[in-house]
Amino acid sequence: MSEELRTRSLRIARYAALFTAVAGAAVLLGWALHADIVTRVSPAWTPMRPNTAVGLMLSGTALFVWLLPRGTPVTRAIATGLASVVLVVGLLTVAEHASGRGLGIDELLFPEAQRALGEGAPGRMAPETAMAFVLIAASMLAMRVRSAYPSQVLAAVAACIALLAGAAYVYGVSFFASLGPPIMAANTAVEFLVLTGGVLLGTSGSGLMTFMTSEGAEGVMLRRLLPAIIVVPYALGSLIAASVGLGRLRQAFGWALLSLGTVLVLAVLTGLNAGALRRLDRSNRNAVDSLRASQAELRAAVESEARAKEELRRAGEDLEAKVRERTAQLAEAQRLARLGSWELDLISNVLEWSDEAYRIFEIDPERFGASYEAFLDAIHPGDREAVDGAYADSVRSGRPYEITHRLLMPDGRVKHVHESGRTYYGESGQPLRSIGTIQDITERVLTEEQLRAASRYARSLIEASLDPLVTISPDGKVTDVNEATERATGLPRDRLVGTDFCDYFTQPDKARAGYLQVLSEGIVRDYPLALRHASGSVMDVLYNAALYRDEAGHVEGVFAAARDVTKRKRAEDELRRLNEELDRRVRERTLQLEDAVHELEAFNYSVSHDLRTPLRALDGFSAAVLEDYDDKLDEDGRRDLERIRAAAGKMGELIDGLLGLSRLSRAELRLADVDLSALAGELADELLRTDPWRHVDVVIEPGAHAVADRALVRSLLENLLANAWKYTSHHDRARVEFGTEEEADGERGFFVRDDGAGFDMAYADKLFVAFQRLHPEREFPGIGIGLVTVARIVHRHGGQVWAEGEPEGGATFHFTLGWNQERADA
């Protein structure tokens, strides 16, 4: 059973339980308000008794509580108690019917309203109702055991009692009439069916419901057939019984219709199920085939995993050896750096120290209390509260902490240490353990104290600075200045001291923000401000400021220095103006270039039309002369006219080549992943079909891809392969190859290689120049534009192209495509 189907079944079961409880409460409210429309389905039918409504309300509540998603022992106890109450009431009522004596539980609710029913025991529920309550309560109590069979069997029997009771209203015959009045109410029967359905769905996935909730063919068939088997006979029977009662059908004919209708409905459902089972069988066969293939893959994967485990085991052994070595190195490094470590188990309050930590504290491990309190006892009394507070704040906030404090040695000496640590937590957020380090920094602290003394001595040297220097109190008041500050402000020292530091700048708020930044961060670098002179002039400065403290570490104030950057700012403004001027000129040049491009396009259009017209005329008139005056021309005349036609054709090819080069520079690139191997294969096939009598071995490396414009890169390969084909034409057997290669800079490159005529490397610089040819046209015809096209396409893609060759030793053309590396990185 899938988790989704189980979740859906439990949700429906909870809805059924809730419906039963609410419906029972509604009937109780109907009795209280004398609303018969709530207590009975029809005025002529038996109403639901109040104690029956109470039993249904308790049963529905018990089932709902039992099926809560996050059940607890308390909720299970509540459900068990409610089911037990229902069981007791049901058993007492069965005893009343069996003995014929009343036990006083029948008229506890609404006795006056029930006496109006005119029965011997008007408040007593029907015997079949009492038996159904006993069964359903026992079923819910049986849900506590692991086996679901007892619960499901009891619920199924209760459902059968409800169905039999409902038949009395459908067919007008009570199966429980011999047990005595009253009979089960129609709405009671419906609620029992809903409640028993909830119990069965609540135990889905096990017991009898294993078949009902199965994902296989049996589950599909049961879910389709069982509702129809229950509903169809009752629905058809009620309609036919009503027709017979009204005299519209004879009874025998009605039974015949009932039988025929039931057969037809079940036949249709059986046919639908057969089709579903056939589809399921087909799907299973496909799944079996897939499973066999998966098993083969799994066997291969298991073998691969075994090899990987062996490699992992060997790697683990190597790693363990390295860890042991590194651990020893770390211990030695800690000893040399006077760095100890500690770990506090917050569950047991046990503190563990490293050997170096014991040496720092100068405590015998055997006499150490191994607790956090023992650690606090070793701290100097003046720092104990601060250390405890820092650690407690770290545990509470989850952030690491660092603190420098003192230790009081047994002989009265004082050590200074730097401590850091952090706390680790469980999944529920509970702190589990704290880990940290402690380092002896006594020598460093003593050195810093000496440096602070030296810095106080150096205070007298600030006057030697040419920059304005000022000291400021923590509340922002000027405490001292040098002569450079007096010159910069135009005010004497006695007027500056005691005033607000920020008042001497053109932007006091910005100056105050920088000062607060110093107090919060400890230092500020190159903070831009403008210092105002008493005369009104302004000096652009960059302020650098830092805190200074007393021997106890308390902030005494801020030391600030200003660097006059007025000239530099002017230079920056001038540079900015020049950049703007440069940008303007670039835009102008760009517009001029665009105009030139448009003029070039117009020129190309004019050339393509103005030159083609006379060329067509030359070719056409020459052909006409040959045709009309063939008998009047001698051999020299015909040869001259053929030369004129050939020259016109050659001129047309040159024009086409020039226009093609022009379009290559203007065409928009449409980049995509291109299979160069497939393109090369197509072009090679075309060449082979053109010259089928040639013996050429074409070798194409598979899987060569690039990010490029497909149309342009096809033209590139077409020119290179056609060149290789042409320059190997004088060899009886030839070889043409396309492949990839790794360049020195890591970029992927491509090449086209042949073993044809080759070329002299001394003239390699002429290969990619228009109309430059290294071989006579009578040997290898062409217009000298193909390699220029190749170079233009490569450069459009941001790549490079070059060639290598030797006379009669073949040639190799290498090229790269700039976007190819970006594709590999992506």
Side-chain angles (χ1 to χ4, degrees), residues 92 246 393 432 445 494 509 519 549 563 654 679 697 709 786 792:
L92 290 175
L246 295 174
D393 290 343
L432 300 179
V445 170
D494 57 351
D509 292 339
L519 293 178
R549 306 173 185 271
R563 175 61 54 87
L654 290 174
L679 274 182
D697 296 329
D709 185 300
R792 188 70 56 86

Side-chain angles (χ1 to χ4, degrees), residues 238-254 257:
S238 62
L239 293 175
I240 292 171
S243 299
V244 171
L246 295 174
R248 296 181 180 178
L249 289 176
R250 287 179 300 186
Q251 187 171 9
F253 186 67
L257 285 179

Side-chain angles (χ1 to χ4, degrees), residues 565-634:
V565 293
T566 305
K567 294 181 180 179
R568 190 177 79 180
K569 189 171 182 181
R570 290 173 182 171
E572 291 175 351
D573 293 339
E574 179 64 17
L575 180 61
R576 188 180 302 107
R577 187 190 63 78
L578 292 175
N579 286 335
E580 292 174 354
E581 177 66 19
L582 179 60
D583 290 342
R584 184 186 62 80
R585 292 183 179 181
V586 168
R587 287 194 297 271
E588 291 177 355
R589 294 293 187 273
T590 301
L591 292 175
Q592 293 174 1
L593 181 59
E594 290 177 352
D595 292 341
V597 169
H598 292 321
E599 292 176 0
L600 179 60
E601 290 177 350
F603 174 74
N604 288 337
Y605 181 83
S606 175
V607 166
S608 65
H609 287 75
D610 294 348
L611 289 182
R612 286 181 189 278
T613 300
L615 286 175
R616 283 194 294 268
L618 283 172
D619 184 61
F621 284 121
S622 299
V625 170
L626 284 172
E627 181 179 352
D628 296 340
Y629 299 98
D630 182 62
D631 55 343
K632 299 180 181 179
L633 291 172
D634 58 10

Side-chain angles (χ1 to χ4, degrees), residues 48-102:
M48 183 189 297
R49 298 300 195 271
N51 49 359
T52 302
V54 171
L56 289 171
M57 184 173 64
L58 295 178
S59 301
T61 305
L63 181 60
F64 182 80
V65 172
W66 185 263
L67 296 178
L68 286 175
R70 293 181 177 86
T72 63
V74 175
T75 59
R76 295 190 186 96
I78 293 172
T80 302
L82 294 175
S84 299
V85 172
V86 174
L87 178 63
V88 170
V89 172
L91 289 173
L92 290 175
T93 306
V94 171
E96 286 182 327
H97 283 289
S99 64
R101 298 176 58 185

Side-chain angles (χ1 to χ4, degrees), residues 88-144:
V88 170
V89 172
L91 289 173
L92 290 175
T93 306
V94 171
E96 286 182 327
H97 283 289
S99 64
R101 298 176 58 185
L103 300 178
I105 65 171
D106 303 327
E107 297 185 14
L108 295 177
L109 299 172
F110 315 112
E112 294 82 4
Q114 294 186 80
R115 291 193 188 98
L117 298 175
E119 299 173 353
R124 186 177 303 169
M125 67 178 72
E128 62 269 27
T129 303
M131 287 188 292
F133 271 129
V134 171
L135 291 169
I136 201 69
S139 173
M140 288 190 286
L141 292 174
M143 291 173 70
R144 297 178 62 91

Side-chain angles (χ1 to χ4, degrees), residues 26 43 46 81 153 191 203 214 229 246 254 291 305 324 328 349 416 431 506 515 547 565 732 738 752:
T46 302
V153 169
E191 291 193 35
T203 57
S214 171
I229 292 173
L246 295 174
L291 180 60
E305 182 181 3
R324 289 193 295 270
N349 195 31
H416 296 268
T506 58
Y515 181 71
L547 295 175
V565 293
D732 294 335
F738 167 75
V752 174

